[in-house]
Amino acid sequence: MKHITYKSKLLAVFFAAICICTLSNAQTGENDTIVVKNQEPTRHIAYQAQPAWMVTSAVSSVNGEELRKSFASNFANTLYGQLPGLTVLQGGQEAGVDSPSLFSRGVGTFGRRDLLIIVDGFESMFEQLVPEEVESVTLLKDAAATAMYGRRGANGVLLITTKRGKEGPLKVNFSIQQGFEGASRLPDFVGSYDYARLYNEALTNDGLPTQYTDEDLNAYQNGSDPFFHPDVDWYDQILRDYAPIGKYSLSFSGGQSKVRYFVLLNILNRGGLYKETEHLSETTTNSKYTQYNIRTKVDIDVTKRFSAAFNMGLAIVDKSNPAGWDAGGMFWLMSMIPPNTFPVYNPNKTYGGNALYTNPWGNMVEGGFYDRNTKSTQTSLKFTEQLDMIAKGLSASAAVSFNSISRGSSAKTRSYKRFSISREESGDTTYVGFGEPTSLAATEWQEDLWRNTTFQASLDYDRDFGDDRLSATLLYNLDTYTLPGNTLNFKHVGLGGRLTYANREKYIGEVSFAYNGANGFARGKRFDFFPAVSVGWIASNEEFLKGNKLLSFLKLRASYGLVGNDLLGAERFMYDQFYQGDAGYAYGTTNVGVGGYAEAMIANPDLTCEKKKEINVGIEAVLLERLEIGLDLFNQDRYDILAAPYKTVPQFLGVIYPMQNVGKVNNKGFEAKIGYHSDPARNLQYFAEANVWFAKNKIEYTPETAHRYEYQYATGRRIWQPWYLEAIGFFKDPADIQNSPRQTFAQVQPGDIKYKDQNGDNVIDQNDYYPIGHSGLPELTYGLHTGLKYKSLYLDLFLQGVARRSVYLSGPDFQALQSKAKIPSLALGRWTAETAESATYPRLSAQDNLNNFQGSTFWLRDGSFVKLRSAELGIDLPKAIVEKVRLSAAKVFINGTNLFSLDHVDIADPETLSGYPAVRTVSLGAKIQF
């Protein structure tokens, strides 16, 4: 804990003391009577929870226990495939920089598409949460579900609800999980012998003299001269096979009728894939990631009518790395340096190196280290008064929340000397040094500071009138948050409401709305009204279906509504004209420059937020009381999307185009699920739950610059549609080149990639880039959660896959000798005169080949995959053993995360193509309850 500030330590101790005191005063005596009220199943919706049968909007949920089975340091990385409609796009695997992108129902805009994240009713950071403190995660998908968020609801809303105490005796839960993680795949490069002979071949292809002699090749092959003919696998030198990962959690919950509490303390450690170097030098540190979580939640019934709820969450993250604050630079260096460039250590034990490259191992051991500390807090206090004296079922609430995240970094860096060696004719070794050794230099900076303050006040009404039930809420919300680099706060303010009516648990109707605004728009354009309506029919409660053994439950629902998206992008206050200091004049015969100001982006005072109209129809059914089926169909029409008027304003005006509300996108798709659960009374129990969702978008209009050919327009195509040259093989011989369209990127030879002439002008150039393949965001996602239990032994498996997705292989991991980089093993299938019929890779070139490495379908791959996201085998210890040690329950388990992947890429993980690799984790765990 050397990187945690003393204030943080004191804060943690302080809250731990509060927790202990609370627990000691809240335990229930032996003679106390505990009454646990039976409540109907509920679902979380906007700002409330509602009985599941009353919900007529499109929502999907998962509980925290299911997320625990994916062992990850970033909470978002536990959500793969768990929520129908939510697509998680991998952002990396290195702890602390592994934030994925989240998308609700695909992508419906070419503007900003950030999902709104709500934790316990308030906007908050969530990636530092742990599943042990989370009760459930709910995705609000259609307009009826998100209407109360108004101009912030169009991209979907993710509700995260943390655990709270329940009336009952004290429960103490302790869990420990310890294991190892290792790279699932690493890049595969040829060794020094193959590199040297293939480099000679590349030089010959370029008409240049070879560089390596037969003696050189023999030395590389037999390893007889490791200093002057090295063969260094930098991945093997820098990385270890397995790194430790562990998690320890302790929670307390319970309470009496008037006070209920939940307290959690959690520690998570990840070691990182770098080898440990701390014992080798005082100027380095081991790669490590440590996260501390504290959660306190207290609900107090002050009187029969007045209650208070206090919630405090704290996460402290310490990350340390040698040679850079993240591993991106190190992995780039390992992928670039050819294996024969220099040895790790020279004969005199100095570090190898040259003028072009530093020594990756030397960077780790001697280059210093980087620390980053992140603190995120969430604090909220809510008061509720029952107003039954005015109207039965009426209540009023007021809540305030303060959330913040601060991130500070510290770099202790130094330079060291590395040496390039050569052998003189006399046999002596000559050393040429690069760099000079320095002492550690310290730099500290505030990297991030995000603050959010929210005030909410609401009137709520919920009452039964015989066969009728009426539920309503009216809410005022003021949200203010500050981001780094912004002197003015971001503000959202407005009203939201919902009215739900149900008759005899058969017919349900709901209307909801929001009237809210933001300060990023001109006066008169800041507020908008967003209404939605939804209906539901529980047909299984009709007389003609009541008691039907085949169809246990059947609900039909539909919704239609309008929501908005006011995320403007990097520019704020685009309604006002700004000027920037990047213009000037040159005066006199000496052209002396004088600075000046010019117009920045042209202002548009009529800007408003983009809108989304959405219709959704759904069905929920239960057959034979065991088989659950669900289906949702949706159609979204986005309009007023911000876009620059390239089509209507000529470029010769010389201005920075204003943004206008002119873009349109259609997005449609479906979500389906089916699940079967066996009889829970049997010794052998099993279940299977499958889900699949699909979303396909189309740009209906964007004001593009005029193009020569129809296929060059983005309008009518999917968002993020890639354009590539279509590779149609390799040139066979000079006659093939002569008889083919002229390729203009470089002088081509036999063995170079041949491209299709898309426009028929007999020339291959930029006009032949064609819309081919899919984007990196899958259009189809599916998952299978299955398991079985025999008495106390259980097995749980979760598989997730995607389809209709493309990935592109670029950079030194795949493209041989570009920018003097390595040669991937993929290039062993290169074209030669002897392998012309079987070649799988273009001819090699020692120069940067401007033809073969154009963006083309040759490097395009099907990005579909199926992954075993989690697998857990465990046993609940027999009751007789548990009771002997005075426990309530105990279990032990073995857990695996991302154990395998079935895909079309093979040479790399389809989600993490390069850089810090995807990892698989295996761990042992135990959970006990007192």
Side-chain angles (χ1 to χ4, degrees), residues 417-472:
K417 200 158 190 173
R418 61 193 187 275
F419 294 87
S420 175
I421 59 173
S422 61
R423 180 180 286 153
E424 301 294 333
E425 291 185 2
S426 62
D428 294 334
T429 300
T430 299
Y431 291 81
V432 177
F434 300 94
E436 292 296 330
T438 63
S439 57
L440 283 174
T443 306
E444 296 185 357
W445 65 96
Q446 182 72 39
E447 194 173 338
D448 197 5
L449 182 60
W450 179 93
R451 297 190 304 273
N452 166 257
T453 303
T454 302
F455 172 75
Q456 293 175 359
S458 67
L459 281 174
D460 301 286
Y461 184 75
D462 189 9
R463 186 176 177 184
D464 289 328
F465 298 90
D467 291 337
D468 301 315
R469 181 164 182 172
L470 188 64
S471 176

Side-chain angles (χ1 to χ4, degrees), residues 55-71:
V55 176
T56 53
S57 53
V59 301
S60 53
S61 299
V62 63
N63 64 58
E65 174 60 20
E66 295 303 325
L67 303 179
R68 178 199 60 78
K69 297 169 186 174
S70 292
F71 201 174

Side-chain angles (χ1 to χ4, degrees), residues 289-410:
Y289 174 94
T290 305
Q291 178 175 317
Y292 306 87
N293 285 72
I294 300 173
R295 172 74 56 180
T296 300
K297 216 166 188 180
V298 181
D299 296 283
I300 304 173
D301 294 335
V302 181
T303 68
K304 290 183 178 180
R305 294 192 178 94
F306 183 70
S307 62
F310 172 74
N311 180 21
M312 187 283 297
L314 170 67
I316 302 172
V317 176
D318 282 320
K319 175 179 171 60
S320 298
N321 247 13
W325 71 267
D326 70 6
M330 178 64 74
F331 276 85
W332 178 86
L333 199 60
M334 290 191 292
S335 293
M336 287 294 295
I337 303 176
N340 65 343
T341 304
F342 49 76
V344 179
Y345 290 104
N346 293 316
N348 64 354
K349 305 303 181 182
T350 58
Y351 291 105
N354 58 25
L356 183 60
Y357 294 118
T358 58
N359 185 311
W361 182 249
N363 292 349
M364 282 183 58
V365 178
E366 305 291 349
F369 54 91
Y370 291 70
D371 293 331
R372 171 185 283 175
N373 176 265
T374 303
K375 301 183 187 70
S376 60
T377 62
Q378 180 193 18
T379 306
S380 65
L381 182 61
K382 182 177 181 179
F383 298 105
T384 301
E385 174 75 16
Q386 302 296 328
L387 301 176
D388 289 342
M389 74 291 291
I390 300 175
K392 187 177 179 181
L394 182 66
S395 64
S397 299
V400 62
S401 171
F402 177 77
N403 306 306
S404 69
I405 183 167
S406 63
R407 183 178 291 115
S409 295
S410 172

Side-chain angles (χ1 to χ4, degrees), residues 66 81-82 628 673-677 687-691 783-787 797-799:
E66 295 303 325
Q82 296 283 2
E628 298 181 6
K673 62 180 181 180
I674 183 171
Y676 180 82
H677 292 252
F687 73 92
E689 298 173 347
N691 55 58
L784 173 63
H785 185 199
T786 185
L797 302 172
F798 183 74
L799 294 100

Side-chain angles (χ1 to χ4, degrees), residues 817-864:
L817 297 173
Q818 298 306 286
S819 301
K820 307 300 181 185
K822 290 181 174 180
I823 299 177
S825 58
L826 192 68
L828 291 172
R830 82 275 180 214
W831 188 96
T832 65
E834 295 74 24
T835 65
E837 297 301 321
S838 60
T840 58
Y841 200 88
R843 73 172 179 93
L844 295 179
S845 172
Q847 301 174 352
D848 289 343
N849 193 300
L850 298 180
N851 182 81
N852 293 341
F853 298 105
Q854 288 290 316
S856 77
T857 56
F858 181 85
W859 306 103
L860 193 66
R861 296 292 187 274
D862 183 350
S864 305

Side-chain angles (χ1 to χ4, degrees), residues 422-658:
S422 61
R423 180 180 286 153
E424 301 294 333
E425 291 185 2
S426 62
D428 294 334
T429 300
T430 299
Y431 291 81
V432 177
F434 300 94
E436 292 296 330
T438 63
S439 57
L440 283 174
T443 306
E444 296 185 357
W445 65 96
Q446 182 72 39
E447 194 173 338
D448 197 5
L449 182 60
W450 179 93
R451 297 190 304 273
N452 166 257
T453 303
T454 302
F455 172 75
Q456 293 175 359
S458 67
L459 281 174
D460 301 286
Y461 184 75
D462 189 9
R463 186 176 177 184
D464 289 328
F465 298 90
D467 291 337
D468 301 315
R469 181 164 182 172
L470 188 64
S471 176
T473 185
L474 180 64
L475 180 136
Y476 168 81
N477 185 86
L478 172 61
D479 200 329
T480 303
Y481 59 102
T482 303
L483 296 180
N486 289 274
T487 56
L488 295 175
N489 293 335
F490 292 75
K491 289 186 178 182
H492 290 87
V493 62
L495 293 173
R498 178 176 47 244
L499 175 66
T500 309
Y501 169 77
N503 175 257
R504 291 174 291 173
E505 295 193 10
K506 297 180 185 178
Y507 315 111
I508 310 159
E510 181 174 282
V511 293
S512 53
F513 77 93
Y515 179 73
N516 54 15
N519 65 345
F521 301 85
R523 294 184 183 276
K525 299 293 182 179
R526 293 178 176 175
F527 286 83
D528 289 282
F529 181 70
F530 302 94
V533 60
S534 60
V535 294
W537 176 38
I538 304 179
S540 53
N541 284 343
E542 296 287 0
E543 290 300 326
F544 60 86
L545 282 178
K546 265 190 176 179
N548 189 295
K549 294 184 179 181
L550 174 62
L551 192 59
S552 309
F553 178 78
L554 176 63
K555 180 166 76 172
L556 306 176
R557 48 183 170 76
S559 69
Y560 180 75
L562 174 71
V563 282
N565 174 25
D566 65 2
L567 297 173
L568 297 177
E571 297 291 335
R572 290 191 71 191
F573 312 117
M574 288 186 285
Y575 61 85
D576 205 355
Q577 186 62 60
F578 289 87
Y579 295 84
Q580 55 192 22
D582 61 356
Y585 296 92
Y587 289 98
T589 57
T590 57
N591 289 326
V592 176
V594 177
Y597 281 83
E599 284 181 326
M601 179 187 293
I602 301 300
N604 181 1
D606 295 324
L607 282 180
T608 184
C609 72
E610 69 178 63
K611 317 289 193 311
K612 179 184 76 172
K613 292 180 179 178
E614 181 172 16
I615 185 170
N616 189 99
V617 294
I619 181 173
E620 301 171 24
V622 179
L623 280 67
L624 301 172
E625 298 183 350
R626 293 280 182 268
L627 185 65
E628 298 181 6
I629 299 173
L631 175 65
D632 275 274
L633 305 174
F634 66 89
N635 185 81
Q636 304 172 345
D637 286 306
R638 293 263 189 141
Y639 60 97
D640 284 350
I641 302 173
L642 295 184
Y646 295 110
K647 184 175 183 178
T648 56
V649 178
Q651 295 186 16
F652 60 72
L653 286 182
V655 299
I656 301 176
Y657 289 127

